[in-house]
Amino acid sequence: MPPHPSHAILFEPVRIGPVTARNRFYQVPHCNGMGYRDPSALAEMRGVKAEGGWAVVCTEQVELHYSSDITPFIELRLWDDRDIPALAKMAEKIHQHGALAGIELAYNGMNGPNLYSREVPMGPAPLPVATFTYDPVQARRMDKTDIANLRKWHLAAVKRAKRAGFDLIYVYAAHALGFLHHFLSRRYNDRTDEYGGSLENRIRLMREIVEETKDAVGDTCAVPLRISVDELLGEGGLYREEVEDMIGLMADLPDLWDVTLAGWENDSRTSRFAEEGAQEPFILGIKRLTTKPVVGVGRYTSVDRMASLVRKGVLDLIGAARPSIADPFLPRKLEEGRLDDIRECIGCNICVSGDFTQSPLRCTQNPTMGEEWRRGWHPERIRPKTSEKKVLVIGAGPAGLEAAHALGKRGYDVALAEAGKELGGRVAREAKLPGLAAWIRVRDYRALQLNQLPNVETYLASRLSAEEVLEFGFPRVVLATGALWRRDAVGHAHTMPIPIAPDAVVLTPDDVMDGRLPPLKRVLVWDDEHYYMGGVVAEALAAKGCAVVYATPASEASTWTRNTMEQHFIQKRLLEAGVKIESFKTLTAIAPGHATLACVFTGREEMLAVDAVVLVTARLPTGTLHADLLALEGSFADAGIEQVTAIGDALAPATIAHAVYAGRRYAEELDEPAPAEDVMPFRREIAELLD
Ligand code: ADP
Ligand code: SF4
């Protein structure tokens, strides 16, 4: 099917300086936790995006000189000629599928602590380096020689990038990540020389670098300029009017304007804190400042919205990082009118957590992300089945849905049995919590895929017992029956239950999601899980009018969400909702009418008068089906059962991304010969040893 006529505009080519993008889908630079450590995995991942139809596929930020590294984050490097082959491999993979390859050269300067190189960081002013972890390192002020050197290093990297085969070579001045942004923003630039003060002075270095880049490679390579239109700090930081003036002064100098918000946490907000297209008010009107094309992002997955942005003259190219991670084939599917096949990004930022935890990029919606090279997985293709053996999948949460639909695509006959009246498991329940509505897309994509698979039979309202599983008589049984929250406070802090009086009111997130709440006025939410659930439950109860105390042994609410760049927004929202946050507190006992909290340092206890305590701690696999089945193991052969496998939360509770991945892994590996004992199940690259 061709694209709908009203979407055809998205498939027009766009000229960017000396090169032409085949359509308007542009994968903007995005980090991935693979970088210099996993270059072949990274090259393959970018190649798959190109195969999926993106017209431009960019790198993440690429450190351009050893004197500025952003360790512990793992990005690409272009420090000398030896880095060229890894980058060339990526450019080649991108070209193989007809896309343009873009590279974002970065010199972090005042936000790179140089923990690896041990060089002294430098920037426009002598300030502490701005990192997420308050590194005790300061940058020194750059003098004229430093500026001249940095221009030279940038130029050398530009030439190397061209040799590596890139078609677009970025000048990066965005996100408060890097020297050019620092020079632009008055909060970092207090200089009194020609690089500080007036707007013209603050953009001087950026202009010089764009000019030098264009002079060096502009005949064959496009030079995009990436800039943040607002830091959301009022006039204390870069703000829209000021940046408009900067863009006006540079108007047609770069070949493309790539406009973002700063910092990264504002640009890539989760769906809990920003709708699709939240950046639109900030990018509206940029196009009238230049005749050059403009690209911007907004977690766009709605094709009507994208087409209208182009028609209304807001953007020329639809930029995407997360939508291209969740569905590397988004452009192709739109072009072929296959809207039901699109895996829409849910805006959870698990992808971002890969960068923050220095682990390969992963995605809740797309379990193949980061596994293209090391496991040979592909987002759209999966090996055909190699046996006729039927599979019974029990539980239609993220793990069961992913397993069932991926097995169905392999051609297996599958029965999917779900106890509840709807598909989705935890996702269906959690999506009803404040801010998590978009998460239902995890279910919706898979439900739409199941509709297209006649070989997968779905049974709702079918809670299976062990005997019923035997009656099914399918050789393969997959237990994807999920997990429930614990009621005994066992979690990170307590590995054994704490004293809980039998008549105390103790609730779990399951009770909150199921609406099983007695009348409550004062509630303690004790969060010893540290991801989103504790904060979300506190928010939900505050919205119901409860006086909520949120206590955590950590220093802050939902501390793991630093990795999804949400922590700040969560704490702000809780405080604004009137939730009292008690940090560094461990729950030690629960009695009717009160709970006991202890300081994690001194052990000093205090009593808190509450009507109920919500325990957000750990989970345990649901029910007894697994144990009941094992008890009947002796009858498996008679029933024709060969294997029973627990996956996802039913095996060991973790994130939704883990569950989807577990479902995919089961489907990918079914009927694969087991690898020899000393063979790893995935590939990795080993550094070359030098003398
Ligand atoms: P995961 O995250 O691992 O996919 P979920 O908790 O989201 O796990 O989903 C588990 C699903 O399994 C739930 O929808 C639950 O209703 C279902 N389930 C649990 N036990 C049974 C059973 N015995 N028979 C059928 N479905 C079950
Ligand atoms: Fe979107 Fe979440 Fe996937 Fe990131 S991890 S691309 S936010 S679905």
Side-chain angles (χ1 to χ4, degrees), residues 322 325-326 345-351 362-365:
R322 290 172 294 176
I325 295 169
C345 167
I346 69 166
C348 62
N349 279 6
I350 280 292
C351 48
R362 68 279 319 275
C363 168
T364 301
Q365 272 286 53

Side-chain angles (χ1 to χ4, degrees), residues 581-612:
I581 298 177
E582 293 274 5
S583 302
F584 300 123
K585 294 285 162 58
T586 305
L587 179 69
T588 54
I590 311 175
H594 70 262
T596 309
L597 291 172
C599 167
V600 298
F601 305 111
T602 63
R604 197 177 304 126
E605 291 193 334
E606 61 187 280
M607 303 260 263
L608 189 70
V610 286
D611 304 320

Side-chain angles (χ1 to χ4, degrees), residues 393-397 416-425 459-463:
V393 178
I394 309 170
L416 173 62
E418 164 54 47
K421 293 197 194 100
E422 60 171 341
L423 299 175
Y459 303 89
L460 288 176
S462 304
R463 180 178 295 281

Side-chain angles (χ1 to χ4, degrees), residues 6 19 35 106 170 302 325 370 414 444 498 512 563 623 683 688:
S6 64
V19 298
Y170 261 85
S302 147
I325 295 169
V414 179
D444 290 349
I498 63 166
V512 176
N563 297 310
R683 293 198 285 171
E688 175 199 1

Side-chain angles (χ1 to χ4, degrees), residues 639-691:
I641 296 178
E642 290 175 12
Q643 49 169 255
V644 175
T645 315
I647 62 167
D649 291 333
L651 179 64
T655 65
I656 297 168
H658 282 78
V660 174
Y661 174 78
R664 181 69 176 210
R665 186 167 179 192
Y666 179 87
E668 290 274 355
E669 292 179 353
L670 188 65
D671 287 327
E672 267 289 275
E677 217 165 73
D678 55 351
V679 175
M680 289 180 47
F682 57 84
R683 293 198 285 171
R684 68 194 167 119
E685 269 175 331
I686 303 280
E688 175 199 1
L689 294 180
L690 302 176
D691 285 337

Side-chain angles (χ1 to χ4, degrees), residues 426 429 480-491 494-497 508-510 529 615-626 646-654:
R426 66 182 284 191
R429 302 165 78 218
T481 43
L484 292 171
W485 290 90
R486 296 182 72 130
R487 286 182 190 279
D488 54 7
V490 169
H494 302 296
T495 52
M496 297 291 161
T508 71
D510 291 312
E529 195 242 1
L615 294 173
V616 186
T617 56
R619 287 178 292 150
L620 281 175
T622 314
T624 59
L625 183 57
H626 202 181
I647 62 167
D649 291 333
L651 179 64

